Amino acid sequence: MTTSPFPIESTAGDAQAAIREEFAFFGDWSERYQYLIDLGRKLPPFPEAWMTEEHRLHGCQSKVWIVPSGNAERLDFAAASDSAIVSGLIYLALRVYSGRSAREIVDTEPGYIADIGLAKHLSPTRSNGLAALLEFIRNTARHASA
């Protein structure tokens, strides 16, 4: 597994609150998209050897790879995309969910998406990809806690 900066905040709820505060600083969506791109650049390096069909997340127009590790006590996720904006969306999801217990992941709805206006400003294909990413993370947590 690569070295992960996550979790940054102590709880998933704190991470969502921090995301809401950060996005509130920006006046328009062009600034928010630029911030997403900047966040995507902060993702840890993703090994090229993991960029395989086995780790590919389907349901996204862009290529996305995700690798989970850990157990019910702590699940970590490494992920990457070939798209700058999607990389930023991955960063936000990992900030909320990676490095948390399976129970906390399952119990935390991704409210930040609607709260910062992402739901209204993503293309349908990006929205589908984000939904697939969140579903993968939360299903991994459900299986780990079963």
Side-chain angles (χ1 to χ4, degrees):
M1 191 65 118
T2 60
T3 304
S4 174
F6 306 109
I8 297 170
E9 291 82 12
S10 58
T11 69
D14 289 348
Q16 291 196 81
I19 290 167
R20 284 184 207 100
E21 287 175 26
E22 289 166 14
F23 275 79
F25 285 119
F26 302 107
D28 63 39
W29 266 93
S30 65
E31 292 174 342
R32 290 177 181 174
Y33 281 128
Q34 185 57 54
Y35 185 59
L36 270 176
I37 290 167
D38 292 344
L39 289 176
R41 291 183 184 128
K42 293 181 176 185
L43 282 173
F46 191 83
E48 199 167 314
W50 290 356
M51 292 180 180
T52 64
E53 199 57 31
E54 175 190 358
H55 300 301
R56 179 108 183 262
L57 182 67
H58 295 279
C60 192
Q61 181 178 6
S62 303
K63 289 183 178 174
V64 174
W65 299 271
I66 186 164
V67 177
S69 63
N71 55 37
E73 291 176 21
R74 180 187 167 115
L75 284 170
D76 289 285
F77 298 88
S81 174
D82 63 351
S83 161
I85 288 177
V86 173
S87 293
L89 297 173
I90 290 169
Y91 183 93
L92 292 178
L94 297 187
R95 183 171 175 183
V96 172
Y97 294 110
S98 190
R100 314 259 181 228
S101 71
R103 175 62 30 221
E104 185 176 9
I105 293 169
V106 170
D107 289 347
T108 303
E109 291 294 327
Y112 72 93
I113 294 167
D115 295 343
I116 66 174
L118 267 178
K120 293 183 285 192
H121 289 91
L122 290 178
S123 67
T125 55
R126 284 202 179 113
S127 290
N128 289 343
L130 179 57
L133 173 67
L134 294 169
E135 182 179 347
F136 177 88
I137 290 170
R138 297 182 84 216
N139 281 341
T140 300
R142 284 185 198 96
H143 287 113
S145 60

